[in-house]
Amino acid sequence: MALNHLRLLRPLLCQSLVRQVRSPLVVTSRVSAPLLYPGTTSHPAACTRLYATKKAKSKAKGQSAKVNINSALVEDIISLQEVEEDMTAVLNALKDDFTRNLSIRTSAGALDHIMVSTKDGKFPLNQLGQISMKSPHLIMVNMSSFPECTAAAVHSLRESSMNLNPDVDEAIIKVPVPKITREHRENLTKVAKQLSNKAKDSLRKVRSDAVSQVKKMKDAHSEDTIRLVEKQIGQMADNIVVDIDKLLAVKTKELLG
């Protein structure tokens, strides 16, 4: 008799949920579940349905957006390795710019890589003149080996972002070490921002050129394949942008002290 009673109640049991269940993943019904046996306080096991939380859905969505294409499979479309190298070169160039042009402490070594434009091309200052510290407050650049480049060297020193005001005595350039002021530090952070924006412009060009090359191959490959390759290139560029922003943040903190 009890079994027959249970069979009659089974459709209702699977539609009812226990009110006492508190898990946020369980949807509870407002209908009270019938008792399993008359005269008892026992409830049947609830039929539950689990739903993913918003956080879980967001995480899954982020993971599905990532693309990781085997370069060998698309090498007839484009060399992803070369694209990555070009993008990394942009980041490395920015690091070099920060090192050469954004130094708080002025020293003889800080002038080494200032580029001087001559009729024969551009050369680092330390290849044209002998740089030395005359005192803690004065740097000397001896241009005796290339006296014809003295004026160009002075121009490059003045145009650098190091707040330099050199003076010339024949083939000797005297460079007073500037006092480090708050204004000077803030000006350097502005230069750092400009250099990072310039790097992002260069990165966009690398990305645009790569995507244009991929689009030229759309007749020889499926639309899905072309789209995936373009997405991979975009993802690579986005990763470099993150690195540029991190580099800028570190440099800004260093400059402001």
Side-chain angles (χ1 to χ4, degrees):
M1 182 70 178
L3 292 177
N4 290 333
H5 182 67
L6 178 59
R7 290 193 184 96
L8 292 175
L9 292 177
R10 184 173 295 170
L12 294 174
L13 300 183
C14 291
Q15 297 175 9
S16 303
L17 300 174
V18 179
R19 289 173 179 264
Q20 287 81 356
V21 178
R22 300 301 186 195
S23 170
L25 297 182
V26 177
V27 179
T28 59
S29 171
R30 294 181 180 272
V31 180
S32 299
L35 299 180
L36 181 60
Y37 296 106
T40 70
T41 58
S42 300
H43 290 273
C47 298
T48 62
R49 182 178 180 183
L50 301 183
Y51 292 88
T53 62
K54 290 183 178 180
K55 183 177 181 180
K57 288 181 178 180
S58 177
K59 182 177 180 181
K61 183 178 180 180
Q63 290 177 342
S64 62
K66 292 184 178 179
V67 180
N68 189 11
I69 299 176
N70 188 331
S71 299
L73 298 179
V74 296
E75 59 183 4
D76 58 329
I77 300 177
I78 193 172
S79 173
L80 292 178
Q81 182 178 350
E82 290 182 2
V83 174
E84 184 176 17
E85 289 173 354
D86 290 342
M87 291 182 175
T88 303
V90 172
L91 180 63
N92 291 335
L94 179 61
K95 291 179 181 178
D96 290 341
D97 281 341
F98 279 3
T99 300
R100 289 197 305 266
N101 302 315
L102 300 177
S103 176
I104 286 295
R105 297 186 178 277
T106 305
S107 63
L111 306 184
D112 285 352
H113 301 292
I114 288 182
M115 301 302 294
V116 180
S117 297
T118 71
K119 62 180 181 179
D120 297 319
K122 290 186 176 182
F123 299 92
L125 182 60
N126 64 348
Q127 291 185 12
L128 301 175
Q130 183 178 358
I131 306 173
S132 60
M133 290 291 296
K134 183 69 175 178
S135 73
H137 305 290
L138 183 64
I139 300 175
M140 306 286 283
V141 184
N142 190 333
M143 298 292 295
S144 299
S145 298
F146 299 93
E148 69 277 10
C149 298
T150 302
V154 170
H155 177 74
S156 295
L157 288 166
R158 285 178 176 161
E159 292 300 313
S160 72
S161 59
M162 299 176 68
N163 195 30
L164 303 176
N165 187 26
D167 190 18
V168 183
D169 183 6
E170 296 184 352
I172 303 297
I173 303 175
K174 300 177 181 180
V175 186
V177 176
K179 183 179 180 180
I180 301 173
T181 62
R182 186 67 183 179
E183 182 182 5
H184 178 49
R185 289 176 180 271
E186 291 175 351
N187 286 337
L188 289 179
T189 62
K190 292 178 182 178
V191 174
K193 181 66 174 178
Q194 292 170 0
L195 291 175
S196 65
N197 287 338
K198 183 179 178 182
K200 289 181 180 180
D201 288 340
S202 298
L203 182 63
R204 279 190 285 269
K205 185 177 186 308
V206 173
R207 176 179 181 171
S208 177
D209 290 346
V211 170
S212 295
Q213 182 178 339
V214 171
K215 289 185 180 296
K216 292 178 181 178
M217 303 297 293
K218 64 181 181 180
D219 292 336
H221 295 271
S222 69
E223 183 178 338
D224 288 342
T225 299
I226 296 298
R227 189 185 304 112
L228 284 175
V229 176
E230 291 178 358
K231 195 170 184 179
Q232 176 77 62
I233 293 171
Q235 184 173 294
M236 291 162 60
D238 291 343
N239 291 339
I240 297 295
V241 169
V242 171
D243 291 337
I244 289 175
D245 288 340
K246 288 180 179 179
L247 189 64
L248 175 62
V250 171
K251 194 64 180 180
T252 299
K253 183 177 180 180
E254 172 193 325
L255 293 173
L256 293 178

